[in-house]
Every structure is written in C-alpha cells, then in structure tokens.
C-alpha cells in the first residue's frame, strides 16, 4: 500500500517541519489533532462540517450539471461558443468575493444566495474543461452511432460519456476543491456556521491549530471519499485502457 | 408573575449583525445572561458573522437593522446618497505597539523603521497618526517602511519580530500588551493635538435613518439595553470571567488587558460633544485621506449622528 | 424499396483552404435483393460515396433517395468499435434486439466466440474487423454497406465470410453495397459491378453479372474477371 | 461578429439589471466605467493592475510548468501516482487562506511568499487535469515514436503536446482565473498594492462601483488577450480537427 | 548483422484478468539482405511478434537479438500517423535527413504528391497506409518491418508497390520482415516464408525460396503457391 506509505511520509514531513520551525510557526500534527478531537467532542466540528458539506454538495452538483451541459454545447456548436465566450470569460475572471458580495446584496444573507454564488463561481471552470472535451470528441464514433440509429440516451451513455470521462474527472476534482474554497469565502462573509465561519474566527483569533484543524477536516473527508469511492470506480471504468507496455 | 404578561405581548425584534469575535458579541452575551432584552421587551436577533466586513453586507442586504462601523463611513455613504446614521459605541482606538526592549521612545522615532499598519491605507488610526506626525514634519508614509495587511497576521508578525512597530486595532494591541509589548502611543492620545475635546468614539451602531424613524422607541430601548450591558462590564470583574471564552483570550493577562481597554472605550459624552469632535477629526482625515476616503463631501455629512430626540 | 443514387458532384475543402472535387458523377439504382459492388482505385472516392449513401454527409450536389424506413447497417473501412465496451456490448448496443442464439451463431461463424468479453484494444486488427462485421450482421439490416469488409483476413477466413455474406444476402430481401479491391470478391458476390475512375470518381461502367450467385464456378469467375480487367483498363 | 454582439448583449443585460435593482444594489456600467476612468487617469489603476499582472504571470507560469510536469508524471507512472495522491488531495483541499497565511508566517510578508503561496494553490488543479490527459494518451503513437527513434524533444513537441493540448488549454484557462482569484486574497491579506489590495479598500468602504471597476479591469485584460492571442492561436493549432459534417 | 529470434512464449493478461497465450514457440534467424515473410491466420499473433521484434514489448519468454545499431522502420498494421501534422511533416519527423529529392521520388511512386499538405484525417485509408509506407521508405532502414503494407490498395497499385519493395530491398543490404495474408505477395517477395499456426502461434514451416526474386515468373509463383497451400493445410 504505497498510498498509505506516502500518507505516513506526509505526516512525518509535517512533524519534522513543525519541530524545526517551532510550534508558533507550524503546529505539529499532534496539536492539530488534539484540537480537532476537542472540537469533535464538543460537536462543533460535525455541526460546521455538516453545514459546509451540504453547501458543497449542492453547489457542486448544480454547477457541474449546468457547467458540463453548457461546456458540451459550446464545444460542439460554433455559434454557441461565439455567443457564450464573452460571458464565460467575464464569469471566469470575476473574483469570488465580488460574486458573493453581489449575491448577498441581491438575495440577502441567505442559503440560496450563498449556494448560487458558489455555483456561479465554479460554473465557468466546468464549462471551460468540458468545452475542450467536446471539441476533442471522435467524429468517427458519432458517425457509427448515427448509422446504427443509436437513440440519444445510448449515445450519451456509451459514446459521449466515456470520451468525456477524463475531462469530467478533471473538472470534478479541481471543481470540488474550488467549490470548497469558495464556500469558505461565502461562509466567512455571510453565514453563521460552517467551516469557513470557524476559519474566519480562528483567523481573527490567530489560532493556527484551530485554523488547521478545521481546514484539514474537509481534506480528510475528500481523502476518504476518494479512496473508498472515486478511485475504485475510476479503476473499473478505465479497465479498457491498455497499460503502457 | 410578570413573566406571562411580558411573553404574551410579542416583543419587538431588532436584527443585529455581530462579528463573532468582536466586543459587540460580548455585550450581547451579557444582555442575554441578564435578560436585559426581556426586561426591555425587545428581542435581539443576532446574525453571527465571521469577518469584520460582513456586517456591511448584512445591512445592505436587509438581513440586519443594526451593525457596527465608523462615522467616517456613515458620512461617506450619506454623501453618496445612502440614508445611514450613527450612534457612538466605543472610543477604543488603535495604538502603536513596540516590543518591550525596543529603542523607540516617541512616535517620531518611527522614522526609517518597519511599521506594520493594519487595515490598509485608509485606516482611520493610520491617517490620524500620519496627520499628527506631519505636524512635527515627519512624512511617515515615505520615511518609514510600511507594510499593510490583515490585522491578525500583522499582530503575529510584530510578535515574532519581523516588524519594528505595529499600528493595530485595539483588541490586538491589548493582546500584545499582555505579552509584554509596550504602547508607544495610543491614537486617542494624539487627538487633543487636533483640537478634540476628549476621547472620541469612532465606531458606533449604524442603521438606516428611515428605519430608525419608524422604530424610535425600539432604537431607544436597544440603546439603553446595550448601555446597561456596558455598565455591567464596566463594573463587574466577575462578568469578565463569564464571557472569557468568547474573547478568545488565551490567559488572564490578556483578558485583563481586554477588560481595561474596553472599559476605557465606553463612550461617556453626549452625542453633541461627540459630533463636535468628529467634525474636527473629519477635517483632519479628509485633508490627509482625500477623496478616496471621504467621498465627495468635504465636511462631516449633516445627520451622521443619530439624535434620539429629533422629530422629523 | 430501392436505392436511387445520383451524385453529380462532391467536393472537400481541406484545412489549407483548397477545394478538391472527389466525385464528379455517379448515378445508378439498386433494387431490393440486389448486391452492388463498387470497385475503384485507392483514394478515388468510394468511402466518400458510402458516407453520402449512409446519410452521413449531406453536403453534395445531386440526390440520393435512401430506401424509406430501411434499417441501415454499415461496416466502415476501419472497425469503429467503442473501445470502452466489450466485443459483445459493441454488438448488442447496435442491435439491442438480437437474440442470444443469433449472437452465438454470428460469433461462431466469425470465430469470435472466445473474444466476447475482450475490449477492442485487445483484439488484432483482423479480429476487430470481424467484430464490425458481426455488428452489421446482428442488426439484420434492410440496407447494408460494406466498405472493404474482408481486408486483413486470411484467405481461408475471407472465403468463409464471403459465403456468409452470400447466405445473408440470399436469406432476406435487402439492398447491399460492397466496396472492395478484390476482383474475386466482386465477381463472386456482385449482381452488378460499378467501376469507378480515379479521383474525381466517375462511374465508368456498371457491369451486370447475369449468372446467379450460387452457380458461379471457378471457371465462370475467372472468365468474368478477365472480362472486367479488360474493361477496367480500357477506360481508366 | 457574433462575439461583439454577445458582448453588447452582456452590457445591455447589466444595464437593465442595474436599472431594475437600483444603483445601490448594482451600479450601472456607466458608473463603473466612470470610476475606472477616474482611477486610470490618476494612474492608480495601472499601478495596481501592473503589480497584479506581474504576480499572476509569475505564479501562473510557475504553477503551470511544475503542475503540468507533475501531472504528466503521475498520469504515466502508477507508482508516482500512488505516492503523490495523498499530497495532491491535501494540497487540492487546503483553503487558499490557510496556505497564504502559512506562507506569510514562514517567509514573511514578502513577494516571494505571496507568489509561492499562489503557485501552491494553483498547482494541484494543473496536476489533476494533466494527469487525466496523460492517462488518455494514445499508446500507439508512443510506439510509433519509439520505433522511429524520435528524440525526447520531438516526442514532446510533436507527439505529446498536441494530445495534451486540450487538457493544457482547460488547465490554463481555469488556472489563470484561479491564480487571479488567489492573488486577490494574497494581496488582500498582506501586500501593499495590486488589485486585491484595492478591492480590500473598496470593500472596507463598501464602494461597489470601485470594487467592480477593479475587479473587471482584469477580466478586460484577459478578454483582450483571449481575443487577440489565444483564440487565433488555438484556431490554427486545431486546424487538423475535421469539423463535424 | 543478423536477426536471431527465439520466442518461447508470450501471453497477455486481458482486462478481465484471464491470461492467454499468444505465441508458443517461434525461432528463426534472418541474415542481412534477407526478406522473411510471415503468414498465419487472422489473430494468431503476427502483430504481437512484430512488436516484440521491434523492441516494443519486452514481456515475453525467450530471446530476440536485434541487429545491433540498426536503423529500424516499421509499417504498422494501422497507419499510425500524427493526425495534427501534415503528410509531409509526418514523413519528415521520422526521417529528418531525407532529401527533398528522395522525398519527391517516394511520394511520386506512392502517388502521394498531391497530398503533401493534407492532414491524415483528410486521407482515405489507402492513402494513409501509403503515407505510412512512405515514412518507412524515407528512413532508409537497416531493419524493416512491414505489417500488411499492401492491404486496402487496389491491385494495380499493390503490384506496383510490391515492385517498389523489391527494389528497395535489392538496393541496400537490410533485414526485412513482411506480414501478409496474400500468398501472392509472400511468394513474389520472400526469401523465406514462415508459416504460423493459429493462436497460440507456433512456427509450422520455414520455407526457403531458392529462385532469385527477379526470376520468379508467373508460372514459378503459381507452383510455389500450390506447394505452400499443401503444406499449410497439412499441419494447421
Ligand atoms: N475530410 C476530407 N477533407 C478533404 N479531403 C478528403 C476528406 N476526406 C476524404 N478526402 C479526399 O477524398 C478522396 C477520396 O477519399 P475516399 O476516402 O472516399 O477514398 P476511397 O475511394 O475510399 O479510397 P480507399 O480505397 O483508399 O479507401 C481522397 O483523395 C481524400 O484525400
Ligand atoms: N493487449 C492485448 N491484451 C490481450 N490480448 C491481446 C492484446 N493484444 C493482442 N491480443 C490477442 O492476441 C492475439 C494475437 O493478436 P495479434 O494482433 O498479434 O494478431 P495478428 O496475427 O496480427 O492478427 P491479424 O492478422 O488479425 O492482424 C489475438 O487473439 C488478440 O486478441
Ligand atoms: Mg475508402
Ligand atoms: Mg496483426
């Protein structure tokens, strides 16, 4: 289990760095873990983590679904691409802070505003990635599907999705991390709970172990999801790729 | 026996935005603990937020009726057309802190030093400091190495010796003080030089004028409730033990520093006196901060201070 | 049900902007039950024509009336399998109604039984082409286009599959078009042979073969080939 | 010019929205433009934009170069992937705030710390995208190159890069936007100039037109670069793709 | 310079985990100047063997001593061109030292002159295979592997290119291996013919052809083919 080894190495590196730098500059893993356990015992960790995870899940699903559809469309249709491009570039380069502030001003400090703002932030990166995927589709397989009169659903599932899979995987992985980072900002600016809220508090108090404990809790969740769900699935789905000799 | 009566009549609600780590949150804790709100028959609905700027969003978005900010901003907003108004909350101001062993003795010694400035180039304390030194012929902005940044980060930077001195918000200064750092000067100490009569409350409750006009009574009760809470915090040391967890103070010394500075900052003067001083300071700030800071108005916008007795 | 083809002209614009004519005049009709064979030099425009007939390319001058409502199947010149689906799935996706029985029969004939669960990347080119054939057979088409279906197969297997195509064509009344470079295949299978010129493709001859398929002895085939060879050279 | 039309539509939409919502909730384009022009005249806009662009350019180049190389390696080598994965997931899900704060604590409030922190934030998303690209490489072309003894440089330029191009394009586009967003945070927290610094000031003053003027200035730069440089290049580079019939 | 081949066994593990033997025993040597032809049923393991000989696959039991320092060129069974480079660039990238003169000659023989600036996606399959041939020719190899180079070409062109291969082989002392399904090609070009069994491939016969290539008349060829056909069936 190379992966476990690498994980152990990571912890060891952290430990060493903390020892060298001194706990004021970087608290050791044990200190962070102790804080995390304390927060978990008090229930605060789960409360905030739960709130954040719910927001992440919603915003992620929303933006991936709409973003993928839009990106696919822009990759396939020249007109859609021309029309959508200026909007895309604008959305892509609008700072998260601005979108979130505007959303809160427009829709109030509500859950809906937060999730919409986060989704809008993530949307364009999904569009950009899936657009490239759609451009790289193999037209010869399209023709095959057309000749054999594949219905839409079958084309999507058996012809398009497998070709788009690497793009979707890339968009999803970097997208999830982006959503999570933006959720933090949204929580910092206008939610009364969630990891971002706690990180804001920890930052104001400049309590680095607390800051790290909350920050890493999400990474831990993703690590577990990756190891137990995503990677086994990916391995199954890419069985058809012949390994390099 | 009175209890059923007071609950049967629905208490009027006031929505306030509070930063979780701020002093407003401490006061609200006291209000709740002593049921001051119930006694005044109001319900304080607090929106807890994690960053200092979030309150402005809450106010603009309509999620809060009252938040805490400074009169400078209120005046600027008024000049730009927003009908906001201000009621003094605290006169605690930042201070220039140096390590205990620092050779710096006076503000003028900052020349040529590395100075950390929290809150950016338009921070009130920073502008006042510059204005004060200008009178002594020191152009601090160009004659010292200035580093702007987030207040907690700069406090940490000063603490670990990367900076020679730091101008920070009062709560960070209090924490530094507890760690043995020295106050080179508090900003309130330099105010008299500009002609101010006393400690001037820079920050206060900010709310919409029209809303306040419709809820005069509610505003009055809210102000009296928070005044009572302030009084409790001003007199009772035991109370500080209760709210200690909220302050995030890591030790007794820090808590004590917080307590003392907080108590000093409780505004004691009338609104008229405050406003008179604010006008003077406004002139000072406008002259050094320029249009970027104050917007189109050259003077403190009329109506910036909330008058409980005024009728429209 | 008949196929009417009248392609007056087809041109491609290549990436460097040049326009190039590929077909300059091909017209014929094929009746239900007939098998037409298209023969022409490499790069003359045969596959282009097949794409037009299959309805994959509408950008040409002329008119093609495809058999209305006919089920189409096509063996492309390359296998065009879905690399991420097993051999069996590739066939079943194109022909969802195929029975297990018929599938087994088809895989048996094409000697693919042992490869059902392989992915296309694990097949040799000859095997992959056979899967493409299996897919077309499984569909039970009314209109079948075969673009060099027997290339890259050994002689024995090619002969066997030629028989299989003959059987399939005989078993149901369908329209078949076969592109090939093998005169042998052409003469053994075709009802009519269309000889094309080099690019831009023009229909040089449409040679009907009157001997019924079943009765074409080696001698007949040789005679027909000789006849064709003469014509072919006389005009191209 | 569909693109111009779409751009006009975008401005029109904004105008209408501003009119409906009122300028307190969303300032109209004219107001933002006026502020932008004022800032440009005073020279402040160019000063801050220049500082930000320099940081963006440095951090972007750094993270794309290292991230692409790492991603390629992880996509090709199973061992590298196993070893790198936990680090990748950690980096991916470490909030920007935390990385930046730690970098500032460690390396001081310096330009180096800022750029390193930004690059570290962007790095993992480039890794994730390029890893997918490397996994999707066509082994048959590798074999061809090996048989004909292509030297490394030729393989890179003529065999690998064209296959990775869509992944690089996706990583670069979404990466640039990510870098820019993180630069803002880094500037907000500890730099004395740059768009992020000005946005921080505008946010403190809650001056929405100023906030938008600075935010959009970067989007405008990207829009121009895209239209004049990137898209013509992309069009040339993808001439070989046959358009769908 | 000689090629010594002794592959005892080669197996693949397919994606569903099953292991399958593909080659069970092939041993021969080929001297400089010789052209060996490999013939065997579809899917028997010919391409697998070529990949091993080309050094692309080291996962087998046995030993292959490639001609030391020899320049290798290979025509794969599929064209394997770089889709994003023009025909000319595809050739030049593999053979950077090729002179303009020689390139023109090669393109002339392969009838590719008009396609120099086309991208591979704009070629017919036959044209693409010719580009692959052009690439191999341009390299001027010492060791040349041709995996069905003449498939998908019309008879006239195939005959012409067969001549071209013969000329090339005669012009320089190199080792050549040709995989084909066409007995005609095998007998006309080969110095030795290796007949393989069906999967797992085993070397059934190594048939030397003693008549020099230039002197193989149609009659000799027919006789040799008949001889081979007998052997082939007697063992497979
Ligand atoms: N997309 C395209 N763009 C430009 N030219 C093309 C395109 N597709 C094909 N051509 C050209 O059209 C001509 C005919 O191609 P086609 O594939 O129809 O030939 P073919 O007769 O099937 O040849 P083969 O026997 O080699 O398969 C060729 O010269 C080819 O270069
Ligand atoms: N990567 C692979 N994984 C598993 N099996 C494979 C793989 N590659 C080839 N095979 C199997 O090995 C056998 C031989 O394949 P090979 O490509 O060598 O055949 P061939 O003799 O070249 O056939 P053809 O004449 O059809 O080209 C086939 O049965 C094929 O299914
Ligand atoms: Mg063709
Ligand atoms: Mg083969």
């Amino acid at each position: 289990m190379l992966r476990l080894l690498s994980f152990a190495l990571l912890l060891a590196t952290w430990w060493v760095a903390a020892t060298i730098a001194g706990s004021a500059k970087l608290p050791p893993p044990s200190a962070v873990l102790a804080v995390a356990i304390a927060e978990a015992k008090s229930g605060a960790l789960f409360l905030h983590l739960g709130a954040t995870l719910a927001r992440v899940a919603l915003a992620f699903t929303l933006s991936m679904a709409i973003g993928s559809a839009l990106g696919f469309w822009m990759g396939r249709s020249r007109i859609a691409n021309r029309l959508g491009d200026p909007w895309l570039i604008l959305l892509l380069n609008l700072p998260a802070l601005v979108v979130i502030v505007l959303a809160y001003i427009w829709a109030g400090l509500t859950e809906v505003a937060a999730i919409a703002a986060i989704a809008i932030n993530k949307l364009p990166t999904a569009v950009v990635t899936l657009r490239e995927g759609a451009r790289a589709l193999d037209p010869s397989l399209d023709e095959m599907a057309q000749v054999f009169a594949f219905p839409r659903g079958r084309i999507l599932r058996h012809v398009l999705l497998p070709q788009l899979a690497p793009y979707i995987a890339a968009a999803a992985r970097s997208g999830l991390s982006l959503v999570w980072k933006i959720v933090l900002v949204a929580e910092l600016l206008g939610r009364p709970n969630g990891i971002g809220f706690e990180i804001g508090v920890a930052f104001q108090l400049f309590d680095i172990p607390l800051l790290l404990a909350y920050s890493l809790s999400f990474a831990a969740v993703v690590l577990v999801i990756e190891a137990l769900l995503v990677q086994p699935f990916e391995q199954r789905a890419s069985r058809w790729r012949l390994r390099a000799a | 026996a009175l209890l059923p009566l007071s609950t049967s009549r629905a208490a009027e609600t006031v929505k306030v935005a509070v930063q979780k780590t701020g002093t407003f949150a401490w006061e609200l804790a006291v209000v709740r603990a002593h049921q001051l709100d119930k006694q005044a028959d109001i319900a304080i609905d607090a929106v807890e937020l994690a960053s200092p700027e979030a309150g402005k969003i809450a106010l603009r978005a309509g999620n809060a009726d009252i938040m805490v900010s400074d009169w400078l901003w209120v005046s600027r907003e008024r000049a730009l057309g927003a009908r906001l108004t201000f009621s003094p909350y605290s006169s605690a101001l930042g201070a220039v802190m140096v390590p205990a062993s620092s050779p710096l003795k006076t503000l003028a010694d900052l020349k040529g030093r590395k100075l950390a400035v929290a809150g950016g180039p338009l921070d009130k304390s920073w502008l006042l400091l510059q204005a004060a030194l200008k009178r002594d012929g020191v152009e601090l902005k160009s004659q010292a190495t200035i580093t702007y940044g987030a207040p907690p980060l700069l406090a940490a930077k000063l603490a670990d010796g990367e900076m020679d001195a730091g101008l920070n918000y009062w709560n960070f200064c209090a924490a530094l003080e507890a760690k043995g750092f020295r106050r080179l000067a508090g900003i309130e100490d330099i105010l008299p030089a500009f002609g101010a009569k006393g400690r001037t409350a820079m920050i206060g409750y900010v709310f919409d004028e029209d809303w306040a006009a419709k809820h005069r009574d509610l505003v009055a009760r809210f102000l009296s409730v928070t005044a009572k809470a302030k009084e409790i915090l001003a007199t009772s040391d035991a109370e500080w033990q209760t709210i200690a967890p909220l302050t995030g103070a890591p030790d007794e010394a820090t808590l004590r520093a917080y307590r003392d500075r907080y108590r000093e900052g409780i505004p004691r003067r009338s609104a008229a006196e405050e406003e008179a001083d604010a006008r003077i300071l406004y002139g000072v700030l406008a002259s050094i901060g320029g249009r970027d800071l104050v917007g189109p108005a050259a003077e403190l916008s009329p109506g910036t201070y909330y008058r409980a007795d005024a009728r429209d | 049900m008949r196929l009417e083809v009248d392609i007056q002209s087809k041109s491609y614009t290549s990436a460097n902007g040049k326009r190039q004519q590929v077909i300059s005049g091909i017209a014929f009709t094929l009746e239900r039950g007939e098998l037409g064979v298209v023969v022409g030099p490499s790069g003359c425009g045969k596959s282009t024509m097949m794409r037009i007939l299959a309805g994959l390319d509408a950008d040409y001058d002329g008119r093609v009336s495809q058999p209305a409502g006919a089920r189409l199947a096509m063996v492309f010149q390359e296998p065009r399998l879905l690399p991420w689906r097993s051999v069996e799935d590739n066939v079943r996706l194109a022909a969802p109604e195929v029975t297990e029985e018929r599938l087994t029969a088809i895989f048996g004939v094409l000697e693919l039984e042992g490869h059902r669960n392989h992915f296309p990347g694990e097949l040799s080119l000859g095997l992959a082409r056979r899967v493409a054939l299996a897919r077309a057979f499984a569909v039970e088409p009314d209109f079948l286009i075969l673009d060099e279906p027997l290339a890259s197969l050994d002689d024995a297997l090619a002969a066997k599959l030629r028989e299989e195509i003959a059987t399939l064509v005989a078993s149901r009344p369908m329209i078949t078009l076969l592109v090939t470079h093998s005169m042998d295949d052409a003469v053994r299978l075709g009802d009519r042979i269309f000889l094309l010129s080099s690019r831009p493709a023009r229909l040089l001859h449409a040679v009907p073969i009157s001997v019924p398929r079943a009765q074409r002895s080696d001698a007949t085939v040789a005679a027909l080939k000789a006849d064709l060879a003469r014509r072919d050279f006389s005009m191209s």
Side-chain angles (χ1 to χ4, degrees), chain A, chain B, chain C:
Chain A
M1 296 266 24
L2 232 45
R3 219 180 285 263
L4 274 181
L5 186 95
S6 169
F7 189 72
L9 198 73
L10 195 133
L11 282 183
T13 312
W14 177 3
W15 213 300
V16 170
T19 313
I20 294 172
S23 68
K25 294 211 159 187
L26 181 69
S30 53
V32 173
L33 191 69
V35 172
I37 289 173
E39 291 292 309
K41 273 201 184 135
S42 81
L45 181 67
F46 298 114
L47 191 92
H48 291 298
L49 192 59
T52 297
L53 284 179
R55 286 180 196 121
V56 166
L58 255 166
F60 177 76
T61 315
L62 212 67
S63 57
M64 271 303 283
I66 302 177
S68 299
L70 280 179
F72 181 77
W73 189 40
M74 283 177 70
R76 294 224 107 181
S77 150
R78 192 175 290 253
I79 295 181
N81 187 38
R82 288 281 161 83
L83 282 178
D85 207 50
W87 298 71
L88 184 63
I89 294 176
L90 179 75
L91 273 187
L92 209 48
N93 294 298
L94 219 49
L97 180 79
V98 173
V99 176
I100 293 168
V101 168
L102 286 181
Y104 277 147
I105 294 179
W106 280 49
L109 288 173
T110 60
E111 212 59 64
V112 174
I115 286 168
I118 298 157
I120 287 174
N121 259 293
K122 146 80 187 132
L123 188 79
T125 75
V127 172
V128 157
T129 309
L130 267 289
R131 180 172 67 173
E132 293 297 334
R135 281 175 181 162
L137 285 172
D138 182 354
S140 76
L141 292 181
D142 271 4
E143 291 191 354
M144 187 279 291
Q146 195 184 329
V147 159
F148 288 101
F150 277 31
R152 260 157 194 280
R154 208 183 297 160
I155 292 187
L156 186 69
R157 180 156 161 225
H158 299 284
V159 182
L160 299 178
L161 280 184
Q163 289 186 75
L164 296 174
Y167 295 90
I168 295 176
R173 281 234 174 70
S174 57
L176 183 64
S177 85
L178 187 62
V179 164
W180 141 249
K181 288 175 192 181
I182 305 169
V183 164
L184 295 187
V185 181
E187 288 174 347
L188 194 68
L189 290 180
R191 294 283 70 213
N193 54 23
I195 305 274
F197 177 82
E198 274 302 310
I199 286 184
V201 170
F203 181 55
Q204 290 299 327
L205 301 173
F206 219 69
D207 184 340
I208 305 289
L210 189 65
L211 193 69
L212 282 176
Y214 272 100
S215 305
L216 293 179
S217 64
F218 183 80
V221 171
V222 175
L223 208 64
V224 170
I225 294 178
E226 280 268 347
L228 296 186
L229 276 169
V230 182
Q231 293 187 351
F233 172 79
E234 272 192 339
Q235 221 148 54
R236 253 194 70 79
S238 66
R239 266 188 320 149
W240 63 274
R241 283 189 204 283
L242 300 180
R243 287 122 209 154
Chain B
L2 278 173
L3 226 83
L5 235 177
S6 57
T7 45
S8 69
R9 214 182 73 198
E12 255 187 300
T13 305
V14 55
K15 294 178 289 177
V16 297
V18 275
Q19 197 199 335
K20 195 186 172 189
T21 50
T23 51
F24 194 12
W26 309 350
E27 289 178 12
L28 283 182
V30 174
V31 167
R32 293 232 175 78
H34 294 264
Q35 300 204 328
L36 301 176
D37 47 351
K38 286 234 179 75
Q39 289 162 23
D41 200 26
I42 60 174
I44 298 179
D45 179 3
V47 188
E48 275 203 334
L49 299 164
S51 80
E53 312 306 334
K56 289 172 183 166
I57 302 177
L59 187 66
R60 182 81 56 106
N63 289 78
D65 301 321
I66 298 178
M67 46 85 67
V68 172
S69 187
D70 54 45
W71 49 252
L72 202 55
W73 182 68
V74 171
S75 166
R76 187 180 195 276
E77 285 289 300
R78 287 186 75 86
L80 290 169
R83 296 173 57 76
L84 297 181
T85 187
F86 174 93
S87 173
Y89 167 79
S90 166
S91 67
L93 274 174
V96 179
M97 302 296 295
V98 293
S101 59
S102 171
L104 305 187
K105 294 277 175 287
T106 67
L107 286 175
D109 295 340
L110 287 172
K111 236 186 338 182
R113 298 295 181 152
K114 282 204 290 192
L115 175 65
V117 174
L122 296 185
D123 179 69
K124 313 169 284 288
S125 298
W126 168 229
L127 292 169
L128 290 171
L129 178 64
Q130 286 180 76
L133 283 172
K134 214 174 193 172
R135 295 168 163 237
D136 304 340
V138 180
E139 277 289 351
L140 203 52
K141 207 171 181 175
S142 52
Q143 292 181 337
T145 311
I146 309 299
T147 302
Y148 299 118
L153 186 60
L154 291 182
K157 285 281 145 190
L158 182 62
D160 69 17
E162 194 177 318
M163 300 292 164
D164 296 325
L167 172 60
N168 215 321
Y169 299 160
W170 75 264
N171 51 321
F172 293 103
C173 294
L176 285 169
E177 221 174 322
K179 282 196 195 125
F181 280 70
R182 178 154 59 80
R183 270 169 95 90
L184 193 59
I187 297 301
E188 61 272 4
D189 304 335
I190 59 178
L191 297 187
F194 300 117
K197 304 279 182 305
R199 294 179 63 102
T200 311
M202 282 284 201
I203 65 168
Y205 303 109
V206 176
F207 40 87
D208 188 89
E209 198 168 68
D210 300 327
W211 173 81
K214 284 197 209 94
H215 301 88
R216 288 212 159 268
D217 192 40
L218 180 62
V219 173
R221 271 183 286 161
F222 172 79
L223 291 178
S224 81
V225 162
T226 54
K228 273 184 205 153
K230 281 196 169 72
E231 218 41 59
I232 292 173
L233 284 171
T235 50
S236 158
D237 288 354
E239 201 62 35
W240 283 88
Q241 293 306 324
T242 327
I243 65 162
L246 279 180
T247 65
D251 47 45
E252 277 300 317
T254 312
L255 187 65
R256 235 175 295 124
Y258 281 160
R259 186 192 65 198
D260 296 346
R261 295 296 166 207
Y262 172 86
R263 284 177 178 169
E264 278 172 29
I266 297 173
R268 303 281 178 198
R269 299 194 295 164
S270 74
E273 284 171 301
E274 290 279 354
E275 186 168 357
D277 277 354
R279 275 187 194 290
I280 296 168
L281 294 179
Y282 188 94
V284 176
L285 288 167
S287 68
I288 193 146
R291 212 188 130 88
D292 281 351
L293 175 69
V294 295
E299 302 197 324
L300 187 72
S301 306
T304 296
Y305 274 78
Y306 177 67
R307 297 295 170 88
D309 45 358
R311 295 285 155 190
D312 39 316
Chain C
M1 198 179 85
R2 62 192 292 191
L3 172 71
E4 292 172 27
V5 178
D6 182 8
I7 304 172
Q8 276 140 29
S9 173
K10 159 77 198 171
S11 305
Y12 281 117
T13 311
S14 63
N16 54 38
K18 283 208 200 97
R19 222 172 150 72
Q20 186 185 43
Q21 199 182 13
V22 175
I23 299 181
S24 75
I26 297 178
F28 63 86
T29 58
L30 266 184
E31 300 294 334
R32 194 180 169 110
E34 271 191 312
L35 190 156
V37 177
V38 177
V39 177
S42 168
C44 75
K46 302 180 294 298
S47 300
T48 303
M49 174 179 150
M50 293 305 134
R51 290 184 65 249
I52 292 176
L53 298 194
L56 294 174
D57 189 348
D59 176 26
Y60 63 95
D61 294 337
R63 223 180 63 83
V64 170
S65 79
Q66 275 169 296
R71 280 195 76 145
L72 174 63
M74 183 162 175
V75 173
F76 294 90
Q77 209 168 357
E78 331 80 57
R80 298 210 187 175
L81 305 175
L82 300 171
W84 37 83
R85 294 287 177 263
S86 70
V87 165
E88 178 169 346
D89 287 350
N90 261 284
V91 174
R92 283 192 187 274
L93 282 170
E97 325 62 2
V98 74
T99 59
E100 178 55 39
E101 214 179 323
R102 188 161 159 69
L103 200 63
T104 312
I106 293 174
F107 281 156
V109 170
L110 292 161
E111 299 178 11
L112 286 170
E113 201 45 72
H115 298 282
R116 269 194 187 222
N117 298 319
H118 281 159
F119 287 111
E122 301 171 323
L123 302 177
S124 77
L125 183 59
L127 283 165
R129 306 195 79 142
R130 281 185 259 159
V131 176
L133 261 174
R135 181 170 61 185
F137 286 176
V139 166
E140 306 204 29
D142 304 311
F143 179 23
L144 175 63
I145 298 179
L146 304 165
D147 199 345
E148 286 207 72
L150 304 179
S152 288
L153 299 179
D154 56 289
D155 291 350
L157 192 60
K160 182 171 158 197
L161 294 184
R162 195 164 53 216
E163 285 318 302
E164 204 52 38
I165 293 174
T167 314
L168 183 76
V169 168
S171 71
R172 9 191 357 248
M174 62 190 202
I175 297 175
T176 312
L177 262 172
L178 170 74
V179 176
T180 185
H181 285 302
S182 153
M183 281 302 165
D184 215 58
D185 289 350
V187 168
R188 282 182 197 273
L189 283 175
D191 293 313
R192 267 194 295 159
I193 298 182
F194 304 109
L195 294 177
L196 302 187
S197 72
S198 56
R199 199 189 65 228
R202 196 162 33 86
L203 182 57
L204 292 178
H205 301 283
V207 186
I209 300 187
S210 42
V211 190
R213 231 187 317 273
Q215 291 159 31
R216 293 177 198 167
S217 64
D218 283 0
T220 342
V221 166
L224 286 167
K225 275 168 77 175
D227 178 48
L228 272 177
R230 243 187 316 109
R231 298 220 205 192
D232 200 359
F233 285 114
S234 67
M235 293 276 290
S236 72

